[in-house]
Amino acid sequence: MKGDFELLERDGLARICRLETGHGVVETPALLPVINPNRKLLGATEMRRLFGTQMVITNSYIISRTEGLRERAVREGVHGILGYDGPVMTDSGTFQTHVYSDVSVDPAGIVAFQKSIGSDVATVFDVFSEPDFTREKAAEAVATTSARAAKAASAGGGGSLIAATVQGGIYPDLREQAAREISSTGADYFSIGGVVPLMEGHRFGELADVIVASKKGLAPGRPVHLFGAGHPQMLPLAVLLGCDIFDSASYVKYAYDGRMMFPEGSFNLAEIRHSWCTCPVCTSATADELRGMEADERVLNLAKHNLYTLSSEIARIRQAIHDGSLWNLVESRARGDPQLFDAFARVLSHRRYLERFEPLSRKSGIGFVDSLTASRPDASRFAERAGAVRPGSGDKVAIITGERQYFTHFDSTSRAPDEDAASLTPLGIFPLALTETYPLSQSSYSASVRAAEKPGEYAARFGYSAVRTVEGKWRRNGRQQARESSADQARAVCEYQFGPGAARALLAGRMEYARSRNTGKLRGISSEGRQILFFRTEDGLFSLKFHGGEILHGALPPPAMRVVCLPDAVPFVSSGRSLFTRFVAEADDGILPGNECIVVDGNDTLLAVGRALLRREEMLSFGKGVAVDIREGRNSSLSSQQPEGMK
Ligand code: GUN
Ligand code: ZN
């Protein structure tokens, strides 16, 4: 249905989503090339063929002010004048008010015009809030913009989705307030505006602050467009912060200036001696040949090159979301550019907000370069949570040290009976039992990453009476790890993953621990003869079996770990089918995306266990898509006895 927006894959706030428009589906992250209706260099249909462009954006203000064009648009629609049958977004003239001062637009009229020409996404005429606006002026821009958005949204879009813009200059509280206001209007699509001057001035740190403040206030279940962002070097960062859609006029502006875009920034064609680009333009013409072309032909070729760069960067970003490596990409880009590096540091200052969306594990390990990498929200949250888990109930502690200590062999027979074991890793000192858990053994580390805490401090923090450091031995043949007892490993991982109360409840009965015959790694855990947990070797975390869910359900009072399902979905979820967002009534705010949860009905009757794909506010905001991937429902019992059923 038009306007549906569904999350398909995610990596923290970054997401791959599917937006339905009146002219087809757009998969985000997406970049919308700007088409000037008066000066068409490349047509939208050709862009779709060459670059896989899914949606374009054009300007309804220019169309409405151009004699002849306006009449044609009314007759043939915006798709007719662009010769394109795919999704088209229109902007409202706000940007023209930023560039030229004498622009007058009738706010209601321009939205009505966009609807009348069949725009798929019609933009409210917002007030451009410049970065140098005083607070008062920025607040005024927000108030006017929100009022216009409310009017446009309540009138409804007809065939058009209504796009409302977050303004507020560089004032985070105004941005967040503006975002809350437009979220409550019922607009279908959100934009972040007033940021072009930040982009053009390479003020990426302030840009990051503006995006984070806006995201905090925006309802998560709608697309977010960053207006005027067509600079390839900031795309990974903007996607990391949760922007879905971008538009670029710069591909053509740069082409007129003789500039070529690359993922790291732009280069002047005049200075290129050794062209390294392998796009179709650059493999069919040398830099000299490009320079020798007639102006029109050169501009067209440079514009194409720029669109190849932008579309391949978007593809690169999608792949990074898919394999869980977007942070790595953003960090490596940041280390090549001082302004982007500042922005990366600003992003890390928002880690408390970001970590709410960070999964407990990813498909990709982390490449730890230095302490900056270690302050990524996923890494710092691991350090905080794992650092709070006591290795055991012993009175003394042995801390294993040495190069690559987290893979080294530690002979546990040398331990005293009342001695717990911890491991000094580059990220900190943690229970030895957590060394198989993400990200410790899945990642790689440079020698510049060093734990801050000293063994003595660690021992004091947990009240150990004695601490001894043991030099771990690195075994060349294979990654033979120091191994903690099954019970200690189960307790440490449970505490880390579910919290201490859950760990006590899960592991209270008569326990059995199964290990793999091949690898010796922990596999299934049973209590009183029934499987409760399954250990995933890829990330060292547990999957919950139904009986494990029953134990947690009995031990932890609501709302802990619960997603509450609406009556209509009860039979489906109970038989093991996915829980969709539209059937979620409520959810625990502590559930992290990717972590285990239990699903109950309105009377807190346990229906199923599964893996949450979204966090609470996302489950409640998205109108479409899966909220919980159900592993086992109360009625899917027979097949559930088999370990193959585990995910
Ligand atoms: N294009 C670039 N910036 C903006 C903005 O703030 N608002 C609108 N409507 N369009 C833009
Ligand atoms: Zn090229």
Side-chain angles (χ1 to χ4, degrees), residues 573-591:
V573 167
S574 304
S575 66
R577 309 262 286 276
S578 299
L579 171 60
F580 290 96
T581 53
R582 65 181 186 283
F583 297 114
V584 173
E586 249 307 342
D588 177 15
D589 195 46
I591 294 172

Side-chain angles (χ1 to χ4, degrees), residues 300-312:
L300 178 62
N301 275 293
L302 294 189
K304 282 185 181 171
H305 159 90
N306 290 341
L307 286 171
Y308 279 119
T309 296
L310 288 165
S311 58
S312 93

Side-chain angles (χ1 to χ4, degrees), residues 260 277-279 281-282 305:
M260 299 175 75
C277 180
T278 56
C279 87
V281 170
C282 298
H305 159 90

Side-chain angles (χ1 to χ4, degrees), residues 142-441:
V142 168
T144 310
T145 301
S146 298
R148 288 175 187 166
K151 254 199 184 142
S154 70
S160 313
L161 304 181
I162 296 292
T165 308
V166 180
Q167 295 285 353
I170 53 167
Y171 304 96
D173 58 323
L174 290 182
R175 286 279 176 180
E176 189 173 339
Q177 179 202 329
R180 282 188 207 292
E181 285 171 9
I182 66 161
S183 292
S184 69
T185 63
D188 308 289
Y189 184 112
F190 305 136
S191 307
I192 299 176
V195 296
V196 169
L198 298 178
M199 220 105 60
E200 286 177 341
H202 286 216
R203 294 158 68 179
F204 298 134
E206 289 161 281
L207 179 64
D209 287 344
V210 163
I211 297 173
V212 169
S214 305
K215 280 291 288 190
K216 281 183 183 167
L218 286 174
R222 304 306 316 165
V224 177
H225 181 141
L226 187 65
F227 255 137
H231 300 62
Q233 70 267 41
M234 47 67 56
L235 290 175
L237 182 85
V239 172
L240 180 90
L241 296 177
C243 297
D244 306 297
I245 300 176
F246 306 89
D247 63 279
S248 171
S250 45
Y251 76 95
V252 47
K253 279 197 220 145
Y254 278 36
Y256 277 106
D257 293 344
R259 277 155 72 201
M260 299 175 75
M261 292 176 159
F262 293 95
E264 324 72 59
S266 69
F267 289 78
N268 205 318
L269 172 63
E271 298 185 347
I272 294 186
R273 287 287 164 275
H274 309 278
S275 179
W276 63 95
C277 180
T278 56
C279 87
V281 170
C282 298
T283 47
S284 56
T286 64
D288 267 337
E289 285 165 349
L290 286 169
R291 282 189 284 268
M293 286 175 183
E294 293 291 323
D296 283 0
E297 196 190 355
R298 184 174 59 244
V299 168
L300 178 62
N301 275 293
L302 294 189
K304 282 185 181 171
H305 159 90
N306 290 341
L307 286 171
Y308 279 119
T309 296
L310 288 165
S311 58
S312 93
E313 188 63 2
I314 292 285
R316 176 84 189 76
I317 289 168
R318 285 203 201 146
Q319 175 62 27
I321 295 174
H322 171 73
D323 64 24
S325 65
L326 187 60
W327 275 99
N328 303 4
L329 178 67
V330 168
E331 182 174 353
S332 68
R333 290 280 156 76
R335 286 177 190 271
D337 177 307
Q339 279 79 34
L340 274 180
F341 190 79
D342 285 345
F344 188 64
R346 291 297 311 153
V347 167
L348 294 177
S349 77
H350 297 293
R351 75 173 191 90
R352 283 288 172 215
Y353 170 67
L354 297 174
E355 72 183 22
R356 296 158 55 82
F357 301 88
E358 290 291 315
L360 278 181
S361 74
R362 296 184 142 89
K363 281 185 241 167
S364 297
I366 302 175
F368 287 95
V369 178
D370 57 24
S371 60
L372 200 70
T373 321
S375 51
R376 271 172 53 157
D378 52 354
S380 62
R381 185 186 57 199
F382 173 83
E384 198 170 287
R385 283 172 72 139
V389 176
R390 200 180 200 270
S393 53
D395 179 46
K396 306 175 186 139
V397 64
I399 296 179
I400 309 165
T401 67
E403 278 306 303
R404 306 224 240 174
Q405 59 283 13
Y406 38 96
F407 290 147
T408 52
H409 182 72
F410 174 58
D411 182 3
S412 41
T413 58
S414 71
R415 269 158 70 185
D418 60 345
E419 190 176 52
D420 293 342
S423 179
L424 191 149
T425 79
L427 300 185
I429 303 173
F430 307 111
L432 179 63
L434 288 179
T435 46
E436 286 172 38
T437 297
Y438 188 91
L440 276 184
S441 66

